[in-house]
Amino acid sequence: MRFLPKVHKWNSSRARPKVMPLSALVIVICMFKHKSAQEAHVVVPKNHHRFATYYYIARHYKLALEHVFDTLGHNSAILLEDDLDIAVDFFEYFLATRYLLDEDPTLFCVSAWNDNGKVENIDAQASSLLYRTDFFPGLGWMMTSQLWKEIQPKWPNGFWDDWLREPENRKGRQCIRPEISRTGMTPSGKKGASKGLFFDKHLAKVVLNVANVPFTTMNLDYLLNVCHDFSEFFHRCLLAPIFSAGLLPMTIRVVKERLMERFLS
């Protein structure tokens, strides 16, 4: 179930963050080459030889991030694997949410992926709906140079995404993610490091958004931590009657909608 806090309306006394229009976006493709993991003699623990690819990937990410942030001096980057497809509003989504990372220290990334994004788990009509999540989704995500400065000195030798999810690295911070994913798996995803694990049953079934949502014209301040007052929500939970799931005379979807309506009222 998803529970939404009350949405605070836009404060007219506060200037709306300036967002570059998508039409002004210029895409420049730059490629850089580094030594292969074998040439660089990347060390893989003896008991992890079958996971060697994950150590090669972690090194590749580190070299790429060093180039983007340390060499080129950019203040943000979108990381997108080559086996992912993107939605029509992929860049619009990231342009609109970038300012949230500057204004809210309790956020550390924006992700295009919804791990629970199968058709039976999403509201297909809620293409503009965004959430805060404690879980790092990855698979098409944006980070800042500030975060890179923090994690670069301790970047792991392998399994970088699981490492980023660890409490000592996440530090209680959250990530923005959409109801409907802005990235989708291509058939190439079946040939990756995981050898197609979970591809057919899960990854390939995550729905890719098809609606072009004008996020840059929308007020996304409701995603800032200051706008989330959970005290009232928890109070209502404590006062709510206890039901037996087996006797509940309605589907989970209806329950979810009723709870949302009650909380947002």
Side-chain angles (χ1 to χ4, degrees):
M1 294 184 184
R2 63 171 183 250
F3 301 104
L4 300 179
K6 285 189 175 179
V7 176
H8 290 231
K9 294 184 178 180
W10 182 265
N11 181 357
S12 59
S13 64
R14 180 176 170 276
R16 178 186 289 272
K18 292 183 179 180
V19 178
M20 180 179 66
L22 189 59
S23 59
L25 183 65
V26 177
I27 299 177
V28 178
I29 299 177
C30 299
M31 299 183 68
F32 73 97
K33 188 175 181 179
H34 57 71
K35 287 184 178 180
S36 69
Q38 291 78 10
E39 292 175 327
H41 304 293
V42 172
V43 177
V44 178
K46 290 183 179 180
N47 60 337
H48 272 198
H49 279 174
R50 62 183 178 137
F51 303 122
T53 303
Y54 293 99
Y55 287 83
Y56 302 160
I57 291 174
R59 171 181 174 268
H60 179 74
Y61 267 85
K62 183 179 182 181
L63 292 173
L65 290 170
E66 286 177 340
H67 186 75
V68 169
F69 290 125
D70 301 338
T71 302
L72 300 181
H74 293 300
N75 63 17
S76 53
I78 299 172
L79 292 85
L80 184 70
E81 289 87 344
D82 59 6
D83 56 3
L84 292 174
D85 194 4
I86 63 174
V88 63
D89 58 354
F90 176 85
F91 291 108
E92 174 86 7
Y93 169 66
F94 283 114
L95 279 171
T97 54
R98 173 60 182 84
Y99 83 96
L100 298 171
L101 299 180
D102 285 334
E103 297 202 8
D104 191 343
T106 66
L107 290 172
F108 76 102
C109 76
V110 177
S111 175
W113 180 261
N114 176 5
D115 272 300
N116 295 307
K118 295 180 183 179
V119 65
E120 64 268 24
N121 297 330
I122 61 173
D123 182 348
Q125 304 303 314
S127 55
S128 64
L129 186 58
L130 307 179
Y131 299 91
R132 295 174 67 107
T133 175
D134 292 323
F135 184 78
F136 169 64
L139 296 181
W141 61 288
M142 177 169 59
M143 65 177 291
T144 66
S145 57
Q146 193 65 31
L147 178 63
W148 176 241
K149 289 178 183 178
E150 175 190 328
I151 63 178
Q152 180 185 22
K154 54 180 181 177
W155 187 260
N157 293 325
F159 305 98
W160 69 269
D161 48 350
D162 290 328
W163 172 84
L164 194 55
R165 296 181 181 112
E166 293 177 0
E168 59 267 30
N169 298 316
R170 191 172 69 82
K171 297 180 179 179
R173 293 171 293 192
Q174 297 177 314
C175 189
I176 301 298
R177 63 93 172 164
E179 168 75 356
I180 306 177
S181 289
R182 264 55 188 188
T183 52
M185 275 288 171
T186 67
S188 298
K190 202 169 185 177
K191 305 173 185 177
S194 62
K195 308 298 183 184
L197 183 66
F198 303 124
F199 182 85
D200 291 324
K201 291 185 177 181
H202 180 64
L203 297 174
K205 294 183 179 180
V206 171
V207 177
L208 177 64
N209 176 64
V210 294
N212 193 357
V213 178
F215 284 113
T216 54
T217 67
M218 299 168 62
N219 171 19
L220 301 181
D221 266 19
Y222 70 91
L223 293 164
L224 294 171
N225 190 52
V226 69
C227 295
H228 289 69
D229 181 8
F230 290 102
S231 58
E232 181 183 354
F233 169 69
F234 288 129
H235 179 67
R236 292 189 182 189
C237 286
L238 291 173
L239 296 179
I242 298 176
F243 291 94
S244 168
L247 300 177
L248 207 59
M250 57 184 70
T251 64
I252 291 179
R253 177 170 289 276
V254 174
V255 173
K256 177 176 64 176
E257 292 173 352
R258 295 283 177 83
L259 286 171
M260 288 174 61
E261 291 172 358
R262 179 181 297 180
F263 186 65
L264 292 174
S265 62

